Amino acid sequence: MKRLLPLLLLMSACTPHLQAPSVAMPDRYIYSVPSAEPLPDGGWWLIFEDELLDSLQRRALAQNRDLQVALSRIREAHHTISTARASLLPALGVEFEAESARQPLTGTTNEFLLSPTVAWQTPLLGWGYPTQQARAEYMASEWAYRATMLTLTHSVATTYFTLIEANEQLAISRQSLRLREQSLALIDSMVRYGFSSGMDREQARSMVSEAAANVEQYTMLLSRAQLSLSTLLGEVPQAVADKLYTLPTLPRGVPTNLPSELLTHRPDLMEAHYNVEAAAAKVGIARSARFPSLSLTGQGGLFGKDVKDVFTEGDWAWSLTGSIAQPLFAFGRRKRSEQIAREEYRQAALQYEQAVLQALEEVERALLSVATLRREAEHYARYVEQNERIASLQQALYERGMSNYLDVISTQQTWYASQLQYVEILMQQYQAVADLVLA
């Protein structure tokens, strides 16, 4: 045991002592929503029960270039593990030499040499750190791929919701344009018979122009959403499809994990976790460079005066050289390399802790939005109905000569704006549910 003590002390000195990242996790979230069953198999977006959304997601997963890049990085990291393991093994080679010389006394002489070579150099301590770093980077790339996939499906869903929102708002604008054109035709008739003034007609025309401009605005927003969706799907830009977009089913409850489960379920946190492990392995590599390394070099050969003699009657010779090298003085280069690696580890650990705090905030924000927007939408639906009744009553009063047209304009604008706002609040609910799944 006493003989092993120096080796154990040396191994302990080679092992870097690092402070692991730590974040105090709450027992529960501040805000809550009705609980639901776990996410369905096949994709989280299936909670919306929308076949078109499901089709779009599957096209994006099959064709998106960013996702393919992330998958390529996984394969690259896997090859890096093999490279790191191979660096721990000897390098084998073979050399063939031919030499011809002429001397006055001996004449021409030929010599041929077939020489296998073996070379192996490895640190005596910490030889496993390169493989640990490569394995951690591989796992980080694996979780980065999952994070990219989740972000992609979230972007497809939110862009799809934006497409529906613009389509709904475009339909409201077109309906408003038709109603205002009808109102303008009525006022034209009233002006001809002296029941209304030219001022009312000009105000009605301005309302028609405003509604026509809004139609163009929401047509542009709809086209932009379609262009964004095409890019996410990995397809060339496409025009807006001539189809009826319907609102998906809004789930009553959303499955959420406990705060303690967030660390192992969220891909970006797991990626950050393995980045910390890779940084720790880099510290080990830098520290082991300050300790002895082992070098073995072997060489053998078959000698002959003719090529065929090398393989039949060649004389065999070999040599083996072993050495242990201990770095002594390099002007602080190795020490500074270890200090740099330690600072990189500290940065990775702090980034992980910040990512955890950011994730907790995002979950709380999403939970708050889901709970608040649901109630807000219920109140706003009644607000839209009330504005519609007010606008209808005001229009009837004007047609009977009991109100001026400015009041009609005001009530119609309020009703029109409330419809657009209600659609926006509805789509914010879908966005909040998608954000909660992403968080």
Side-chain angles (χ1 to χ4, degrees):
M1 183 64 183
K2 293 182 178 180
R3 295 179 180 179
L4 295 177
L5 184 59
L7 179 60
L8 294 176
L9 292 175
L10 188 60
M11 293 177 64
S12 176
C14 182
T15 303
H17 300 285
L18 303 171
Q19 183 177 358
S22 176
V23 177
M25 300 296 292
D27 296 331
R28 58 184 180 84
Y29 295 113
I30 300 174
Y31 305 98
S32 62
V33 295
S35 59
E37 295 295 327
L39 293 175
D41 296 333
W44 63 267
W45 56 87
L46 295 177
I47 61 177
F48 295 109
E49 301 178 1
D50 189 305
E51 293 183 359
L52 178 56
L53 176 59
D54 181 47
S55 173
L56 294 174
Q57 295 285 18
R58 298 189 183 283
R59 286 161 60 186
L61 292 174
Q63 301 174 162
N64 184 267
R65 304 304 192 272
D66 291 335
L67 192 60
Q68 294 176 13
V69 169
L71 184 60
S72 176
R73 286 176 179 151
I74 293 179
R75 292 193 290 265
E76 176 187 356
H78 183 267
H79 296 319
T80 303
I81 294 179
S82 301
T83 302
R85 289 173 176 170
S87 66
L88 301 176
L89 301 176
L92 305 178
V94 63
E95 297 178 1
F96 182 80
E97 298 180 9
E99 181 180 352
S100 179
R102 177 179 176 78
Q103 299 290 338
L105 297 178
T106 59
T108 302
T109 59
N110 299 318
E111 290 186 358
F112 298 92
L113 172 64
L114 180 64
S115 176
T117 61
V118 179
W120 185 40
Q121 183 173 3
T122 181
L124 285 178
L125 301 174
W127 50 267
Y129 286 127
T131 303
Q132 291 179 17
Q133 178 187 355
R135 187 178 293 110
E137 290 176 347
Y138 170 78
M139 293 303 301
S141 65
E142 179 79 35
W143 284 101
Y145 171 75
R146 299 184 189 183
T148 302
M149 182 185 299
L150 185 58
T151 301
L152 171 63
T153 55
H154 176 269
S155 298
V156 170
T158 54
T159 304
Y160 177 66
F161 298 150
T162 301
L163 190 68
I164 294 176
E165 178 182 359
N167 187 72
E168 291 288 327
Q169 291 175 330
L170 177 60
I172 293 172
S173 298
R174 286 173 173 169
Q175 180 187 16
S176 177
L177 177 60
R178 288 193 296 270
L179 293 176
R180 293 182 183 186
E181 287 174 342
Q182 293 173 5
S183 179
L184 175 59
L186 175 62
I187 293 176
D188 267 337
S189 176
M190 294 175 67
V191 169
R192 285 196 301 269
Y193 292 101
F195 293 106
S196 184
S197 65
M199 177 64 71
D200 291 345
R201 180 167 56 189
E202 293 304 317
Q203 289 173 336
R205 287 175 177 173
S206 69
M207 293 282 288
V208 170
S209 299
E210 179 188 23
N214 289 337
V215 168
E216 297 299 329
Q217 175 187 359
Y218 290 113
T219 300
M220 179 184 65
L221 293 178
L222 182 63
S223 299
R224 285 181 175 178
Q226 178 62 52
L227 293 174
S228 299
L229 187 60
S230 298
T231 302
L232 290 172
L233 298 180
E235 300 173 352
V236 297
Q238 298 179 5
V240 177
D242 187 16
K243 63 177 65 176
L244 179 62
Y245 294 98
T246 58
L247 289 173
T249 301
L250 187 64
R252 296 297 303 174
V254 182
T256 56
N257 296 317
L258 295 174
S260 58
E261 298 174 338
L262 191 66
L263 300 180
T264 57
H265 285 76
R266 184 159 161 152
D268 59 337
L269 295 186
M270 291 300 298
E271 179 188 0
H273 166 75
Y274 284 107
N275 285 336
V276 172
E277 287 195 1
K282 289 179 64 177
V283 177
I285 294 173
R287 186 164 182 79
S288 63
R290 303 174 64 183
F291 289 84
S293 61
L294 174 65
S295 177
L296 295 176
T297 303
Q299 187 173 8
L302 290 172
F303 295 88
K305 294 183 179 181
D306 194 280
V307 174
K308 66 178 182 179
D309 292 341
V310 173
F311 298 98
T312 58
E313 302 178 0
D315 298 322
W316 173 257
W318 61 271
S319 66
L320 178 64
T321 304
S323 65
I324 296 179
Q326 168 61 54
L328 294 179
F329 186 71
F331 300 94
R333 179 172 58 86
R334 292 182 177 86
K335 180 180 179 180
R336 297 294 181 266
S337 296
E338 181 183 349
Q339 290 174 340
I340 291 173
R342 286 182 176 274
E343 290 302 322
E344 291 177 348
Y345 171 82
R346 176 173 171 77
Q347 295 167 20
L350 291 173
Q351 289 171 352
Y352 172 77
E353 293 176 356
Q354 183 62 34
V356 172
L357 296 175
Q358 185 68 33
L360 290 172
E361 178 192 352
E362 290 175 359
V363 174
E364 294 286 9
R365 282 179 174 270
L367 288 171
L368 177 61
S369 297
V370 170
T372 304
L373 288 170
R374 194 183 301 275
R375 296 191 298 268
E376 183 180 357
E378 293 173 356
H379 295 309
Y380 222 90
R382 292 191 291 270
Y383 177 62
V384 173
E385 294 175 358
Q386 292 161 358
N387 286 333
E388 181 180 8
R389 288 196 296 269
I390 293 173
S392 299
L393 291 173
Q394 195 66 49
Q395 180 71 27
L397 290 175
Y398 173 75
E399 293 174 2
R400 289 170 175 78
M402 301 173 64
S403 176
N404 58 60
Y405 197 67
L406 288 176
D407 293 334
V408 174
I409 293 175
S410 177
T411 55
Q412 286 185 351
Q413 287 178 334
T414 302
W415 177 39
Y416 174 65
S418 65
Q419 292 180 81
L420 297 177
Q421 183 64 27
Y422 178 63
V423 171
E424 183 176 344
I425 293 174
L426 281 180
M427 302 319 300
Q428 285 177 358
Q429 288 189 86
Y430 292 95
Q431 173 77 39
V433 172
D435 291 345
L436 184 55
V437 174
L438 181 66

